[in-house]
Amino acid sequence: MLTNTPFSPPSASNFAAEYDFVFFLLLGLTIFFSVVVGIAVIFFTVRYRQGSKADRSRPIYEDLRLETTWSVIPLLLGLVMFFLGAKVFVDMKVPPKDAQEIFIIGKQWMWHVQHSNGVRENNTLHVPVGKPVKLTMISQDVIHAFYIPAFRVQMHVVPGRYTSMWFTPTKAGKYHLFCSMYCGTQHSEMGGTVVAMEPKAWANWIANGGESVPPMTLEQAGQKLYNNISCNNCHGADDNLRAPSLYGIWGKQRKLSNGTSVVADETYIRESILRPHNRLSSGYGPTMPIYEGKITEQDIPKLLTYIKAIGTPGGVPASSPTSLDAAALNGTGGTMTPFASNAIQYQENLKKRLDATPTTRRGNPAVNAIAAQEEGRQ
Amino acid sequence: MAAIADAHGHGHDEALHHQFEDMDQQNEAYLVGMWTFLVTEVMFFGTLFIIYTLYRSMYQMDWYLAHEALNIPMGGVNTIILLISSFTVAVAVRSAQRRERNLVLWNLGITLVCAVGFLGIKSVEYMEKFQHNLYPGPEFGRHPEYLHGAAPNFAQLYYGLYFGMTGLHAVHVIVGIIVIAYLWVKWFLNAKNVTLDYVPTEMVGLYWHFVDLVWIFLFPLMYLMPKP
Amino acid sequence: MSSIPIEKGLENSSPHQREQANYLTVDWSLKSWLTTGDHKRIGIMYLISISFFFLLGGISAGLIRYELTSPAGRVLESETYNKIFSAHGILMIFTFLVVAIPAVFGNFLLPLMIGARDLAFPRLNLMSWYLYMIGGTLILGGMINGGVDSGWTFYVPYSSMYANSNIALVIVGIFFGGFSSITTGINFIVTTHKMRAPGMTWFRLPLFVWAMYATSVVIILGTPVVAITLLLIVFERVFQLPIFSPELGGDPVLFQHLFWFYSHPAVYIMILPAFGIQSELIANFARKRIFGYHFVAFSTLAIAGLGFLVWGHHMFISSQSMYQGIVFSLISFLVAVPSAVKIFNWTATLYKGNIRLTSPMIYALSFIGLFTVGGLTGLFLGSLGTNVHLTNTYFIVAHFHYVMVGGSLTAFLGALHYWWPKMTGRLYSESLAKWNAVLVFVGFNLTFFPQFVMGWMGMPRRYHYYYFAPEYQPYHLMSTAGASVLALGLIIPGFYLLKSLANGPKASANPWGAHGLEWETASPPVTTNFEQTPIVMDEVYDFDPVLEHEQAQARKALEPTGYEGYEPGALAEPKKDESDLGGKS
Amino acid sequence: MATTPLSKAAGHGGHHEVKFNHLFGNLLALMALMGITIWASYVNFGNSTINNLIALLIASVKACLVIWIFMGVKFATPLTRLWVAVGFIVFILMFGILGDYATRRFEPTAGWELNRPNGGGTALPREWPPAKRPEQGAENFRPRL
């Protein structure tokens, strides 16, 4: 199709063809109507210019049939276009079950990526061709938007809530990654590259830790962190007096102490780690320590992955094919470095590596004060 | 729009502005104008009510607990005060139509007293909240006992809206006091543009009724939450 | 249109006395201007002030275009660039587009068109100008003192918690500007309802009045929402009163809902008046009653009403619920229909007309073309799937510039040229104006068409640098080249219009031979608009193309040289007794 | 002149004088309704939604009384009534914003079908292919909805 013209962005995902069809259909409509209206205007202007000898007898001023015609035809065309567009949109909104989950954390002004096997990267995203990828995204400060033109996908990355999008890359190559929602001074430089790799190459890449050596898979790191920050002291295999068990809760409806209920999704669990007292599980008191300010946004995906693993009945084991780590794809098994000696060391290392471009919340004393106040409350 | 030419010829229409043909047209123009202004006010407060509805549906329990710190008797007394003042304004408008100057002065006077009384009680309430560190900001929740067990974050959201909505309402009350006082002075001085024409009084009345209207919703929503 | 002759009672006066009677020359002192209640003077004051803000907005646009010619920027820091593009958006939207046509032409023409002596509340009208000036001054003050770098959309939490610029002051300025809009809206609504001359029924109203009415409804219903929403940001920045803060459980997306609840209708505040002007220009220069008057009038109201139901189509990818997105997309396609109806009706009006290609008409015709493209590309963004890729890119920038600049600004220029003789009593050089109109059209397309391609290729908006994606540079270069042409086209009218004030020929009451009450009074009008309240006896746009064609042929034989573009014989003041020839039986 | 009641002087019935008893009766009604609101807020109806509805209903009735009698809409022209209505209608329209929040929880999410409380059905009926893996690199292998 027209997608290979120099005026088009590369088409490199499963959405590109579906999307481009709607786009070019709309483009055709646009050109058609513009040309029809343009020609009519020029033709009438020339023919009925003042002083021309054209016949002006019996002019029409109202014509219900004509009005109805040109109301109904655009309406019908519009409905067709609406339907086609909505279909693409719904496709984009419904990720397949076996999608490889990757966590994206946006902050002023960089993207941080966490793969399920623990590989982290900044401002680049390596994805395998032919494999659905689901991005679970959150922002640590302001609203960003994750935009890959070649994949025709774009989604806001909102603070305080996980948003998601998915795609299946179809063509290997390097593509632009942009932050498309204005986010502050260096907005235009918040971006990087999406590298779509052949599955073999990708498996190699991720097994060798990408550009950094992965200490452990995301789930293992989550388990370690879970124990290190003492979640396991209270949240055991069964509900106890102090805390509800986290086994089997993922995606379940949870009764809250205030009578309402909520689905235990990423957003809720994140909220319960950071500010547990806001939404207490039914039957439990506000005894859990507040972790806001104590663990970083980058740590939360680890805990989430772990809680998801233990929270899904039948359990998705950490190295199962669905979580698609290196071992599953190239059949050799990834190399893991020894676990970090202790949690403090681990967190410090993490901080050093990840906060290469630290974000300061400038300007607003309120926010700093709220943070300080939260600390003071401990 | 019956009269076409010679609109200024009517002897009795000293209060008629040059752009209108007759008093009838002028009066309705002013009333419709006032109502369109009140429409903007409805949307203005309406936005806050939308925000309130959303957050309250999200954080019912915490808001219920947070609202327990409010002083219901004071809110109730304020409601009574506003209802009475609304009544006196309505009577003042009626008296203005009948050109009973003394009655207008008395009723507007009572309204003024009520309005100032409302603000007085409101400021006592505010003082109490400030002493209990219940105003949004870094100091919020310094005294957790006044949160009645509500999650501090959501309670802060509640008090953000509480101060936002009642504060904006109070600003409207202050504007009302200024306008009513101005009108009172005009009546006191027997100024022709109010004594010959009841519409200025009626417009002030409409404004004051609207202030009352907002409070009619604010009071149950802010003070009288049921336990979820 | 038959009405009581206007200059009755003045026919024996000397030309000098007659000149004194008009609204411009009735008093020369500055105080008389600053305390005037005259809607025409307030319109002129608005014209001067919005021109100033437009100039500032235009300069910032020029800076943006110059900066983007290089992938690594030319002269600005990123922070400055962000402040410049925010300034461009805020100035152009809040101090120019929302205000321009209603406050200048609505103010000036609405009472004239319906045969009223003034707007219903002249002092409120003056207050609205002062509110506008206070607002504009605060906005400028904020931009000079610290700047504002959040874009005109002020998305939280960036604007409320992270931005380190003077957002609070600018928002307070916008708040004042909003109240200026509201007072104008109230005034127009009441005037349209209550001040129509006898015989001026609803369906004899010129379509511009319909458009102003619909606009006013949108203004008074929408503006308070954005006013309070933006004010909440100020509260958060100044008093730490949190409403949208995600830390406290607030939802930043709620801000977007409330913001677009106004800001989508605000698009109609900007474009509906342009529709009104468009109808006037097309009808009067095709010299034919507008095709489907009722349809055009009702589609205006339909757009205003439906405009309140589509705010969510700005938020398809902002993590709004998918179902809500689908509903909004559907309604967005519905709202496209009344706009399409208007386009077709204007085109159909040309059929069997008696078209004079004057400068306002060239603007009107280019409006049809540009708005068609602007409206149709809106479908790309209203369609859910295509929106995902195109939103937040230059495609959307191009789309709304086609609607706002190609629509509103073109209509504004057309209106300025059309009613300039009425407002000032002077004629400008029509041939220069014609060429300039063509220049604007060419420059505009050159500027914004490449941006469609660029957006389709994925260039995000509000980017300062694109050194990592240099493939976009050719389009930026084209766009900047076009922008300089467009800038030229916007500067030239300033010169010839001002020159006409100094030494342009004096205009007669009806230099275009147009139809409508405003052309029945002197140019410039007297202070009370009409010596006596007119009685409207005939329909609006009551032209007869066939008869006019014959008349024109006959006149051509009599006086072959008219002042180009203007109705021959209706040109200059001295031929007073002949000035009725222009167009009416 | 100044002694004539304005209504007679204008001679057109552009406004209507409200009876004093009318106003006073209205005040009493408002007071009574306020009392009921406070009382009702302390009664346990078993579900707080009922309390909320009662409170809002009473507030709406009170608002209508104020608008109808105190603000004189009872005697106003149709034009005025139109504008009274418009504001409240558009205000109610604004509640459409809440539709977003009401439907958000039904967003389709991958992999939770089995754990959903409603027995595995997601918001949208979906069928997933058997575990057969499609050819790598094939476009659009995902089944249509």
Side-chain angles (χ1 to χ4, degrees):
Chain A
M1 245 172 106
L2 286 168
T3 42
N4 290 326
T5 58
F7 306 112
S8 284
S11 319
S13 86
N14 59 324
F15 294 127
E18 197 179 353
Y19 173 93
D20 289 352
F21 173 70
V22 183
F23 180 87
F24 284 110
L25 208 60
L26 269 169
L27 189 65
L29 269 183
T30 304
I31 292 172
F32 174 74
F33 277 106
S34 310
V35 166
V36 165
V37 170
I39 286 179
V41 166
I42 292 168
F43 176 75
F44 289 151
T45 309
V46 172
R47 183 170 162 83
Y48 298 109
R49 71 190 180 277
Q50 193 176 40
S52 79
K53 293 205 168 56
D55 175 28
R56 290 178 175 80
S57 59
R58 286 185 289 115
I60 42 169
Y61 296 115
E62 304 257 344
D63 189 334
L64 193 61
R65 282 168 305 168
L66 212 53
E67 298 276 6
T68 319
T69 314
W70 64 44
S71 306
V72 169
I73 289 179
L75 181 66
L76 292 179
L77 283 174
L79 288 179
V80 172
M81 296 322 296
F82 156 74
F83 181 75
L84 291 174
K87 206 172 141 299
V88 180
F89 186 69
V90 172
D91 281 355
M92 286 175 173
K93 279 281 183 178
V94 186
K97 209 171 178 178
D98 58 345
Q100 162 75 7
E101 190 163 13
I102 299 177
F103 281 96
I104 307 281
I105 291 138
K107 58 179 183 175
Q108 284 175 329
W109 292 277
M110 60 176 284
W111 295 108
H112 176 69
V113 180
Q114 293 193 337
H115 292 273
S116 67
N117 78 332
V119 169
R120 295 177 290 275
E121 38 184 341
N122 286 339
N123 289 332
T124 52
L125 172 64
H126 287 75
V127 285
V129 166
K131 175 80 198 166
V133 173
K134 180 188 169 212
L135 306 182
T136 302
M137 308 180 288
I138 196 165
S139 164
Q140 160 175 324
D141 34 49
V142 304
I143 297 176
H144 305 281
F146 197 85
Y147 178 34
I148 310 169
F151 293 173
R152 315 282 191 276
V153 288
Q154 181 173 201
M155 186 70 196
H156 277 201
V157 180
V158 183
R161 205 167 80 216
Y162 284 96
T163 57
S164 72
M165 69 183 196
W166 79 278
F167 51 81
T168 306
T170 52
K171 210 160 74 182
K174 286 190 173 187
Y175 307 108
H176 287 304
L177 161 65
F178 293 128
C179 168
S180 60
M181 185 69 226
Y182 176 69
C183 60
T185 308
Q186 291 173 43
H187 164 59
S188 58
E189 288 167 293
M190 178 173 173
T193 322
V194 176
V195 186
M197 301 166 98
E198 292 302 336
K200 273 261 154 57
W202 183 80
N204 268 329
W205 179 86
I206 201 138
N208 296 320
E211 284 133 26
S212 64
V213 182
M216 53 199 106
T217 68
L218 212 53
E219 188 189 322
Q220 288 166 325
Q223 188 175 16
K224 179 120 186 102
L225 194 59
Y226 191 83
N227 297 335
N228 276 329
I229 60 174
S230 313
C231 304
N232 58 343
N233 284 357
C234 304
H235 295 284
D238 298 300
D239 290 357
N240 57 33
L241 280 178
R242 275 181 296 178
S245 164
L246 302 183
Y247 285 82
I249 65 158
W250 188 262
K252 284 246 177 81
Q253 202 89 10
R254 301 288 294 170
K255 275 254 174 290
L256 300 187
S257 63
N258 62 15
T260 55
S261 61
V262 65
V263 174
D265 58 0
E266 291 100 331
T267 302
Y268 168 68
I269 289 174
R270 173 183 170 276
E271 190 68 24
S272 299
I273 296 167
L274 292 179
R275 295 174 281 267
H277 302 180
N278 284 348
R279 290 176 173 193
L280 289 169
S281 272
S282 175
Y284 294 94
T287 49
M288 177 168 158
I290 295 168
Y291 283 92
E292 190 174 28
K294 293 189 167 171
I295 73 175
T296 59
E297 203 71 74
Q298 284 94 332
D299 284 339
I300 295 173
K302 302 188 181 83
L303 288 172
L304 282 178
T305 317
Y306 179 64
I307 292 172
K308 184 177 179 180
I310 63 171
T312 313
V316 183
S319 316
S320 78
T322 40
S323 68
L324 196 84
D325 65 0
L329 258 180
N330 65 6
T332 58
T335 47
M336 300 292 168
T337 56
F339 287 0
S341 55
N342 60 49
I344 299 161
Q345 183 70 43
Y346 172 69
Q347 287 208 8
E348 272 174 3
N349 286 345
L350 204 71
K351 257 210 161 83
K352 262 184 222 154
R353 231 178 306 146
L354 300 182
D355 293 358
T357 47
T359 302
T360 49
R361 307 184 136 199
R362 306 181 304 160
N364 193 334
V367 179
N368 298 331
I370 291 168
Q373 165 214 359
E374 289 289 347
E375 265 165 35
R377 198 180 288 149
Q378 293 309 304
Chain B
M1 264 180 289
I4 295 160
D6 194 23
H8 301 274
H10 295 281
H12 67 270
D13 287 342
E14 284 176 56
L16 185 67
H17 297 298
H18 80 278
Q19 69 271 26
F20 295 105
E21 301 289 351
D22 55 34
M23 283 311 281
D24 217 5
Q25 187 193 17
Q26 173 172 331
N27 287 349
E28 202 188 357
Y30 272 92
L31 290 184
V32 173
M34 191 64 202
W35 268 107
T36 42
F37 172 70
L38 292 184
V39 164
T40 66
E41 291 276 24
V42 168
M43 298 303 291
F44 196 73
F45 277 100
T47 310
L48 290 171
F49 279 110
I50 298 273
I51 298 174
Y52 173 91
T53 313
L54 176 67
Y55 288 157
R56 175 156 164 198
S57 68
M58 286 162 89
Y59 311 119
Q60 290 201 41
M61 191 63 192
D62 297 286
W63 280 34
Y64 166 74
L65 294 172
H67 110 286
E68 289 195 327
L70 291 190
N71 195 328
I72 295 180
M74 281 196 180
V77 170
N78 259 350
T79 315
I80 294 173
I81 287 179
L82 273 191
L83 289 178
I84 290 174
S85 73
S86 209
F87 168 71
T88 52
V89 158
V91 175
V93 172
R94 178 177 182 271
S95 311
Q97 289 172 343
R98 297 158 67 93
R99 295 196 178 167
E100 295 162 341
R101 177 166 163 268
N102 278 340
L103 267 180
V104 174
L105 285 176
W106 271 109
N107 278 301
L108 286 181
I110 297 173
T111 312
L112 270 181
V113 172
C114 286
V116 173
F118 175 88
L119 279 187
I121 293 177
K122 197 83 230 160
S123 53
V124 171
E125 280 188 65
Y126 277 3
M127 289 301 284
E128 204 178 307
K129 299 291 161 295
F130 270 73
Q131 278 162 7
H132 297 170
N133 283 95
L134 286 178
Y135 55 94
E139 298 290 304
F140 186 84
R142 249 317 131 72
H143 302 290
E145 64 271 22
Y146 295 109
L147 291 179
H148 297 269
N153 285 323
F154 301 155
Q156 195 172 350
L157 207 56
Y158 171 77
Y159 278 101
L161 271 174
Y162 170 78
F163 281 105
M165 291 172 89
T166 58
L168 271 177
H169 179 257
V171 168
H172 278 75
V173 173
I174 292 169
V175 172
I177 289 175
I178 293 168
V179 175
I180 294 172
Y182 181 71
L183 186 73
W184 192 88
V185 170
K186 282 263 184 181
W187 271 98
F188 187 74
L189 298 176
N190 231 335
K192 276 188 174 164
N193 54 356
V194 295
T195 53
L196 287 184
D197 184 5
Y198 77 99
V199 167
T201 315
E202 165 129 31
M203 282 168 66
V204 172
L206 284 177
Y207 175 82
W208 191 252
H209 290 310
F210 179 79
V211 171
D212 184 30
L213 210 61
V214 173
W215 187 258
I216 283 179
F217 283 96
L218 276 182
F219 175 62
L221 289 179
M222 284 292 175
Y223 288 79
L224 301 177
M225 283 188 198
K227 191 172 177 15
Chain C
M1 195 179 283
S2 33
S3 72
I4 294 156
I6 295 122
E7 297 189 62
K8 189 176 159 191
L10 285 179
E11 64 250 293
N12 294 329
S13 55
S14 69
H16 177 66
Q17 275 172 320
R18 219 188 303 154
E19 206 164 291
Q20 269 191 335
N22 80 50
Y23 79 102
L24 286 171
T25 52
V26 70
D27 191 343
W28 287 101
S29 70
L30 187 66
K31 180 168 171 276
S32 76
W33 278 86
L34 292 180
T35 58
T36 184
D38 188 343
H39 66 101
K40 298 180 289 297
R41 287 195 157 198
I42 295 170
I44 297 291
M45 280 150 71
Y46 261 118
L47 179 60
I48 295 166
S49 23
I50 66 153
S51 305
F52 172 69
F53 287 111
F54 179 72
L55 186 69
L56 293 181
I59 290 172
S60 44
L63 266 173
I64 294 171
R65 287 301 351 146
Y66 177 65
E67 186 68 11
L68 288 176
T69 49
S70 159
R74 291 268 179 213
V75 284
L76 302 175
E77 295 289 316
S78 281
E79 201 170 344
T80 323
Y81 176 84
N82 295 343
K83 286 176 180 171
I84 297 273
F85 84 65
S86 303
H88 171 66
I90 291 168
L91 287 172
M92 283 302 195
I93 285 172
F94 291 113
T95 62
F96 178 72
L97 282 169
V98 166
V99 190
I101 299 176
V104 177
F105 297 107
N107 252 331
F108 192 93
L109 293 168
L110 188 72
L112 282 169
M113 280 182 163
I114 64 174
R117 277 191 286 275
D118 204 327
L119 286 170
F121 313 120
R123 273 180 301 175
L124 194 68
N125 198 16
L126 183 66
M127 189 179 100
S128 123
W129 182 76
Y130 277 105
L131 284 175
Y132 171 77
M133 289 312 282
I134 293 171
T137 313
L138 288 177
I139 291 173
L140 274 188
M143 282 169 181
I144 293 164
N145 176 23
V148 53
D149 68 342
S150 65
W152 79 276
T153 45
F154 297 106
Y155 270 21
V156 295
Y158 182 72
S159 65
S160 62
M161 293 208 237
Y162 291 86
N164 202 13
S165 50
N166 205 343
I167 286 175
L169 196 59
V170 172
I171 286 182
V172 172
I174 292 171
F175 191 77
F176 274 98
F179 267 85
S180 156
S181 289
I182 289 174
T183 45
T184 305
I186 290 174
N187 227 333
F188 286 179
I189 287 175
V190 176
T191 306
T192 316
H193 272 299
K194 297 302 299 176
M195 310 288 282
R196 282 170 285 129
M200 182 58 95
T201 60
W202 280 93
F203 291 109
R204 284 178 182 172
L205 286 178
L207 285 164
F208 181 68
V209 178
W210 274 100
M212 289 319 308
Y213 181 75
T215 309
S216 308
V217 174
V218 179
I219 285 177
I220 70 160
L221 292 174
T223 314
V225 179
V226 83
I228 187 69
T229 309
L230 292 180
L231 208 58
L232 288 174
I233 294 182
V234 179
F235 285 176
E236 179 148 3
R237 287 182 75 87
V238 178
F239 304 118
Q240 305 171 5
L241 195 76
I243 304 292
F244 303 115
S245 156
E247 274 86 353
L248 303 182
D251 188 359
V253 180
L254 179 63
F255 170 84
Q256 298 170 27
H257 273 297
L258 296 170
F259 180 81
W260 289 114
F261 187 84
Y262 161 77
S263 292
H264 188 78
V267 173
Y268 296 116
I269 295 176
M270 302 172 210
I271 198 67
L272 279 177
F275 288 164
I277 283 172
Q278 181 69 4
S279 302
E280 295 293 311
L281 297 185
I282 294 276
N284 278 322
F285 287 108
R287 310 208 59 80
K288 185 161 166 286
R289 182 182 161 85
I290 202 95
F291 184 86
Y293 172 92
H294 292 85
F295 262 83
V296 177
F298 283 125
S299 66
T300 309
L301 292 183
I303 291 174
L306 284 171
F308 276 103
L309 300 172
V310 294
W311 73 87
H313 69 206
H314 297 262
M315 301 167 54
F316 286 156
I317 61 153
S318 66
S319 83
Q320 155 187 257
S321 143
M322 182 181 91
Y323 308 98
Q324 186 102 340
I326 291 172
V327 171
F328 279 125
S329 172
L330 181 62
I331 308 176
S332 305
F333 274 97
L334 297 185
V335 84
V337 173
S339 311
V341 167
K342 278 175 185 290
I343 295 273
F344 292 133
N345 276 316
W346 291 323
T347 312
T349 306
L350 300 175
Y351 176 66
K352 292 196 174 175
N354 199 2
I355 298 164
R356 277 191 293 141
L357 216 52
T358 58
S359 56
M361 188 60 170
I362 297 178
Y363 282 115
L365 294 179
S366 58
F367 176 99
I368 295 184
L370 300 180
F371 184 75
T372 307
V373 175
L376 283 165
T377 49
L379 297 185
F380 289 76
L381 299 160
S383 161
L384 285 158
T386 41
N387 179 288
V388 172
H389 170 57
L390 295 174
T391 190
N392 286 338
T393 67
Y394 265 81
F395 193 92
I396 211 163
V397 175
H399 157 69
F400 67 66
H401 279 91
Y402 262 79
V403 177
M404 296 292 107
V405 182
S408 296
L409 184 64
T410 304
F412 180 83
L413 287 172
L416 192 62
H417 285 84
Y418 182 51
W419 281 294
W420 184 261
K422 178 54 65 183
M423 293 169 98
T424 63
R426 300 289 181 158
L427 300 176
Y428 50 87
S429 161
E430 172 66 16
S431 57
L432 195 55
K434 272 186 198 170
W435 284 113
N436 188 69
V438 175
L439 192 68
V440 169
F441 181 76
V442 172
F444 174 83
N445 278 305
L446 212 56
T447 311
F448 292 107
F449 196 78
Q451 297 188 0
F452 277 127
V453 185
M454 200 155 46
W456 157 235
M457 290 176 66
M459 168 88 192
R461 68 195 279 209
R462 295 176 172 174
Y463 261 32
H464 179 211
Y465 299 130
Y466 53 100
Y467 52 79
F468 36 81
E471 66 266 30
Y472 300 126
Q473 195 185 11
Y475 302 101
H476 277 299
L477 283 175
M478 268 189 259
S479 188
T480 305
S484 40
V485 177
L486 181 61
L488 201 64
L490 294 176
I491 291 168
I492 292 174
F495 286 107
Y496 64 72
L497 289 179
L498 288 179
K499 183 171 164 289
S500 81
L501 285 185
N503 58 4
K506 284 208 167 63
S508 73
N510 191 357
W512 305 110
H515 203 278
L517 278 183
E518 80 267 29
W519 298 109
E520 309 226 344
T521 182
S523 297
V526 292
T527 307
T528 53
N529 293 351
F530 304 94
E531 287 295 316
Q532 279 170 314
T533 307
I535 305 171
V536 183
M537 312 278 264
D538 49 6
E539 300 300 317
V540 67
Y541 311 126
D542 198 9
F543 295 105
D544 186 341
V546 184
L547 184 69
E548 276 194 19
H549 178 64
E550 287 160 9
Q551 277 180 346
Q553 298 294 350
R555 237 192 338 258
K556 214 177 211 174
L558 283 177
E559 39 172 327
T561 52
Y563 193 71
E564 190 200 355
Y566 301 101
E567 185 79 348
L571 164 68
E573 191 97 13
K575 302 179 180 176
K576 185 173 160 290
D577 39 349
E578 288 172 36
S579 65
D580 245 15
L581 264 181
K584 301 181 305 294
S585 49
Chain D
M1 174 85 53
T3 52
T4 359
L6 192 63
S7 55
K8 281 179 195 152
H12 47 62
H15 67 270
H16 187 284
E17 271 178 28
V18 196
K19 289 199 184 68
F20 181 83
N21 289 345
H22 238 109
L23 295 177
F24 193 69
N26 198 29
L27 175 68
L28 291 183
L30 288 171
M31 293 286 193
L33 284 171
M34 190 201 79
I36 297 175
T37 319
I38 296 179
W39 169 78
S41 70
Y42 287 105
V43 179
N44 186 359
F45 290 102
N47 187 346
S48 65
T49 316
I50 299 176
N51 289 63
N52 286 331
L53 283 180
I54 289 175
L56 278 180
L57 196 72
I58 295 177
S60 307
V61 171
K62 282 163 80 180
C64 289
L65 283 179
V66 170
I67 292 172
W68 196 244
I69 310 272
F70 278 172
M71 296 171 104
V73 172
K74 189 180 177 187
F75 311 108
T77 56
L79 179 62
T80 315
R81 287 186 190 178
L82 172 79
W83 278 103
V84 176
V86 162
F88 292 98
I89 290 171
V90 177
F91 167 56
I92 289 167
L93 211 71
M94 246 177 110
F95 276 91
I97 288 174
L98 303 184
D100 176 16
Y101 297 87
T103 53
R104 249 183 220 176
R105 72 180 76 163
F106 301 112
E107 293 251 84
T109 323
W112 292 4
E113 292 89 348
L114 299 174
N115 307 325
R116 280 271 158 147
N118 55 4
T122 40
L124 291 170
R126 276 184 288 157
E127 275 179 13
W128 298 105
K132 200 181 82 188
R133 174 109 330 143
E135 288 303 306
Q136 275 169 356
E139 289 186 5
N140 280 328
F141 62 82
R142 216 165 58 77
R144 303 285 167 188
L145 283 170

